[in-house]
Amino acid sequence: MGNLLRLLQKPDDSIPEIFLDFENAQPTDGEKEIFDVVSGVLTNAIKVLEDLQQYQGAGDEIRFAISHPNNEEYQEKAWAAVCPLVVRLRNYYEYSIEVARAVKSLLFIICSTDMSAKEHLEIQQATAKQFAEILDFTLRFDDLKMTNPAIQNDFSYYRRTLSRMRMASQESSGDMSLAVNNEMANRMSLFYAQPTPMLQTLSDATTKFVSENKELPIENTTDILSTMTAVCRVMLENKEYHTRFQQGDTVLFVLRVMVGLIILYDHVHPVGAFDRRAAIDVKSCIKVLRDQTPNVEGLLNALRYNSKHLNDETTPSNIRSLLVS
C-alpha cells in the first residue's frame, strides 16, 4: 500500500536540465554489453520499416478469387500472391518479439535503484538513446500498419484459406510447405488484431518487466518515463537546444519519442498520464505538438486513439478538449 501511495504522489515540478544526445550518445563501459546487443536489433528497424512501406498487398488477386470461388486458377493465383506476403508479416511479428526483449534489457539498466531517474539519463545517455529509437520505430511502424488495410485483408484471407485447406486435406498444422503454420498464424492474429500492434507489444513488455522484477519499485519505471518525457518537451520548447541538433529530422524524432513515452506511461501507471496526480505535464506536451509547423496530426491521433486513460472520469476536461478539438 505504501508503494502505491508513493507512486501516486506527484513529484516536485522541477524539470531536469538535461540534453539527451539522441544523435551521438556513446555507451559507457557499463552500458556496452547491452548496447551492442540492442544495436543488433535496431539495425533491422529501418529494413522493417522500408519493407512495410513497400507492402502493396494482394487485393486484386483476392477479389478475383472471392468473386469466382469455383475458378481454380483464380484460387491458385490468390494463394501464390498471398503466401510471400504472409511470410513478410511473420517477419514483422518475429521482429516485435526481438524488440520486446530489447526493451526489457534497456529498462533493467535505466530503472535500477542505484541512481535517480535524472542521474540515469545524464550518465546512461546511450541506453536512453536506444530506448528512444525503439519508441520512434514503434510509432512509425504502427502508423504504416494502420494506414494499410491490405495487411489485415491479406492475413485474414490466408487464415480462411488455410482453414479450408486443412479441413479438406486434414494436413497437419505443422506442414512446412505452408508460409505460416496454424499455430504461428494464431499468434500473429493476436498481434495484427491490435490497431497499434508494436505499441501494444512495447506496453506489454514494460508491464511484464515491472511484474518480473519485483525488487525494482514500479516508480523507478514510471519516473524514467515521466522524466524522459519532460526532458524531450524542454528540448522541443527551448530553441537553443535546436542549434545542437545536427540532423534535420531530429525534432520529429524527439516529438515521436515524447508521444511514445506519454502513451507508455499511460499504460503502465495505475492512474495513467492524464490524471492530475500524474508526473507528466500532458497539457504542455500537447501544446508543443500543436505548435509544430508543419502540423503533426498523426502524433496527436496517436495520443487520442492509443491512450488507455484519456477517457477516464479523472481526466481534466481541458486536457480532453485539447485533444478532441
Side-chain angles (χ1 to χ4, degrees):
M1 183 65 178
N3 288 339
L4 180 60
L5 289 175
R6 283 199 302 274
L7 183 59
L8 294 177
Q9 287 175 349
K10 193 177 181 71
D12 65 69
D13 294 329
S14 60
I15 298 173
E17 294 181 2
I18 302 170
F19 179 81
L20 283 173
D21 191 353
F22 288 132
E23 297 174 339
N24 304 303
Q26 296 299 312
T28 62
D29 290 342
E31 298 172 279
K32 190 73 168 61
E33 183 178 354
I34 296 299
F35 182 89
D36 289 342
V37 172
V38 176
S39 291
V41 175
L42 285 169
T43 297
N44 292 320
I46 295 300
K47 297 176 184 177
V48 169
L49 291 174
E50 288 176 347
D51 191 73
L52 181 56
Q53 196 163 22
Q54 296 168 6
Y55 189 101
Q56 296 296 321
D60 290 341
E61 293 88 347
I62 291 173
R63 279 190 294 274
F64 276 115
I66 291 175
S67 59
H68 301 86
N70 298 319
N71 187 311
E72 195 63 31
E73 181 183 356
Y74 286 149
Q75 309 308 311
E76 290 176 359
K77 284 184 177 179
W79 183 250
V82 164
C83 282
L85 294 172
V86 170
V87 171
R88 290 165 68 179
L89 295 179
R90 182 193 66 198
N91 293 340
Y92 306 155
Y93 166 72
E94 290 175 339
Y95 185 65
S96 76
I97 297 173
E98 294 183 48
V99 169
R101 292 196 193 104
V103 164
K104 288 193 280 187
S105 297
L106 294 173
L107 287 173
F108 193 80
I109 292 179
I110 55 176
C111 294
S112 63
T113 55
D114 58 337
M115 289 184 280
S116 67
K118 178 183 177 181
E119 291 169 332
H120 275 297
L121 294 179
E122 286 177 327
I123 297 171
Q124 297 167 330
Q125 294 236 335
T127 302
K129 175 178 179 287
Q130 288 188 320
F131 185 49
E133 289 172 341
I134 288 177
L135 285 166
D136 176 72
F137 163 78
T138 296
L139 266 70
R140 293 171 68 186
F141 179 95
D142 285 345
D143 184 59
L144 289 171
K145 185 266 183 185
M146 283 192 296
T147 55
N148 192 342
I151 291 173
Q152 199 66 40
N153 292 340
D154 292 347
F155 190 62
S156 296
Y157 178 80
Y158 179 86
R159 293 200 74 199
R160 291 196 305 271
T161 306
L162 177 61
S163 179
R164 288 198 301 270
M165 289 172 59
R166 294 180 66 237
M167 290 178 65
S169 63
Q170 299 298 308
E171 288 183 339
S172 166
S173 63
D175 188 345
M176 296 304 293
S177 66
L178 297 172
V180 169
N181 64 35
N182 193 56
E183 181 182 351
M184 174 62 80
N186 288 336
R187 294 201 295 269
M188 289 171 59
S189 179
L190 294 174
F191 178 76
Y192 286 108
Q194 300 290 336
T196 51
M198 204 62 72
L199 180 61
Q200 188 62 52
T201 297
L202 208 62
S203 298
D204 291 345
T206 306
T207 302
K208 193 171 183 180
F209 166 80
V210 170
S211 64
E212 287 177 345
N213 296 277
K214 297 188 183 301
E215 74 281 6
L216 297 178
I218 185 175
E219 55 262 34
N220 283 31
T221 303
T222 55
D223 284 354
I224 278 290
L225 297 175
S226 61
T227 303
M228 198 167 169
T229 302
V231 170
C232 287
R233 175 171 61 81
V234 171
M235 287 171 63
L236 292 163
E237 289 174 332
N238 190 336
K239 299 303 180 183
E240 292 182 10
Y241 282 135
H242 291 194
T243 63
R244 300 174 65 176
F245 296 155
Q246 299 173 5
Q247 299 169 17
D249 59 351
T250 299
V251 169
L252 183 55
F253 176 91
V254 178
L255 285 165
R256 286 198 202 99
V257 172
M258 182 182 73
V259 169
L261 288 163
I262 295 171
I263 295 170
L264 201 56
Y265 181 99
D266 191 53
H267 280 254
V268 174
H269 196 283
V271 299
F274 303 95
D275 191 282
R276 286 185 175 86
R277 295 167 291 176
I280 292 179
D281 185 352
V282 175
K283 183 177 179 180
S284 294
C285 291
I286 295 172
K287 185 178 184 303
V288 167
L289 287 166
R290 287 195 170 279
D291 287 345
Q292 297 305 308
T293 304
N295 69 63
V296 286
E297 193 66 21
L299 293 179
L300 288 167
N301 283 336
L303 280 177
R304 290 180 185 117
Y305 304 123
N306 300 321
S307 299
K308 182 178 180 181
H309 293 280
L310 176 60
N311 293 317
D312 288 1
E313 292 182 359
T314 55
T315 298
S317 58
N318 64 329
I319 298 295
R320 195 180 288 112
S321 297
L322 277 173
L323 280 176
V324 172
S325 60

